[in-house]
Amino acid sequence: MKEVTGSEALLLSIINEGVDTIFGYPGGTIIPVYNSLYDYKNQLNHILMRHEQGATHAAQGYARVSGKVGVCFVTSGPGVTNTITGIGDAMIDSTPMVVVTGQVGTSALGTDAFQEIDVIGITSPITKWSYQIRRAEDIAWAVARAFYIARSGRPGPVVLDFTKNAQLETVNFEPKKCNFIRSYQPIPDINNDKIKLAAEAINNAKKPFALVGQGVTLGNAEKELKQFLEKADIPAAFTLLGESAMETDYPLNRGMLGMHGNVAPNMKTNECDVLIAIGMRFDDRVTGNTATYARQAKIIHFDIDPSEISKNVKADISVLGNVKDTLPLVTNLLNKNSHREWIASFDEYDKKEYEKVISKELETKTGDLKMGEVVRAISDAVDSSAVLVTDVGQNQMMAARYFKFRQNRSMITSGGLGTMGFGIPAAVGAKLAVPSRTVCLFCGDGGFQMTMQELGTIMQGEIGVKIILLDNEWLGMVRQLQELFCEKRYSATKMKNPDFCEIAKAYGIKSCRVTTREELAQGVKEMFADDKAYVLVANVEKSGLVLPMTPAGTDVTNILLE
């Protein structure tokens, strides 16, 4: 034990949790922490973001690629309120994150002091735990508890609101570890009867179908997933966040589920006799109208969170626990099987989608560049081995559809909250988490401009993110909805954009704009000529649609192809 300030106790506590990178933005009520941070430069790499929202998204990107807890430091008042979007995003997408917020001194709480705000009241609904540290002696306990809650069970964000007096007080510091909290059970007990029922249902299935969600990645269960699928010869499809849990070319991978997913998996959802949901939550973008969703199938739901069972879609059999533990138990009871005809029946839908949609997106040789062909050109250039980060909108869906994967933890996007502006800061965090890997960010002109100040973070940190800006001078996804469902009444979606290359130049980042296929090939070559940051601005068709599309709230089989 040694006597230290509360601020130093915080830093020692997070170092004890294995943290080496922090994303943040200093301010008045957290100055003591930053003052102590000055003495820990060799142990803690602080990344100065340009906005507190950017700090949270960077922490998310870092966490999603590394599997570690992302960490943010921000000040009180607007510093805290600027983090709310990122905290909410992390909550709905199950991303482990600890946000440390400065706060006025305990004696000033409730007085409407300068930059005082009720952090606990604001953040409690969108965190796993929010706690206000008012005494230095509580710091080691609170930090250990925060990291345990953030990373255990179904991961998520935690907020520690750190009063200024607690930062300045001294304490005899001793690091703590937390591995148990009374009344908190992060991983449910496994019910062996449910394991047997699940295996029996799968063994009796003629047309089994697996839906793979992010829970497989969060549980580090990619190997266990494949063993499960291969033993019973089960075709599988992925949710948006579950995309890189299987390689794109994995034989049993039949594509993406959901509103802009592939035709075959969506159609087969309503044809299978056993539907096996693995670490996914039956989001409305996957199910469409739940009244007609998979009514013919027996539904088996593997999940770590009991609250997800039968929340949106009623499960006939629920298998609670970490899928890394539960999948092998079921696999051990499965018969070696073959479903060759069932799997082959997906091909007819694949062929139809290719003819109606994919060929037009990837193989058109005339006219404006298409988003899909730009995505595929980048994917091919990196041999499908890069980390993909996306913003939100048409760029996101096109990237998810046409980027290929060979490695897990390679798909970083805002799923449940759909946060425009997520892309640039999340790519910063992803690149810092895995500096040896190529990180490719796709964003639209709308989302890019929401957080483009983080180009300053890229410049200062010399962070080699490859940014592909798909510029169509529209808020493309909203325009698409207006075209299809609002009689082409394009209200407030046309954008007049700045010269993005000049903006990149101002931040010392190389760039180019491409408008033709020949220029695209040259631009891609130039972008990957070195490991420095680059902005490739691609002028893509202004009226492009992301197809297929299942209109919101309709049957999952109600798929628009043109």
Side-chain angles (χ1 to χ4, degrees), residues 440-457:
C440 295
L441 162 65
F442 286 88
C443 52
D445 40 327
F448 182 88
Q449 292 179 84
M450 285 192 169
T451 52
M452 67 183 180
Q453 70 271 16
E454 300 304 344
L455 294 178
T457 305

Side-chain angles (χ1 to χ4, degrees), residues 226-247:
K226 289 183 178 180
Q227 291 171 341
F228 169 80
L229 297 175
E230 289 167 11
K231 187 171 184 181
D233 198 29
I234 301 172
F238 52 83
T239 66
L240 181 64
L241 296 187
E243 180 157 11
S244 64
M246 302 178 285
E247 305 97 310

Side-chain angles (χ1 to χ4, degrees), residues 282-299:
F282 289 111
D283 175 75
D284 62 284
R285 284 299 193 260
V286 166
T287 65
N289 180 11
T290 55
T292 59
Y293 181 81
R295 304 298 291 179
Q296 80 294 338
K298 178 173 285 189
I299 294 177

Side-chain angles (χ1 to χ4, degrees), residues 124-135:
S124 289
I126 54 171
T127 55
K128 287 186 73 176
W129 187 51
S130 292
Y131 181 76
Q132 189 172 75
I133 302 174
R134 298 187 179 187
R135 306 182 305 170

Side-chain angles (χ1 to χ4, degrees), residues 83 392 540:
T83 68
V392 167
V540 294

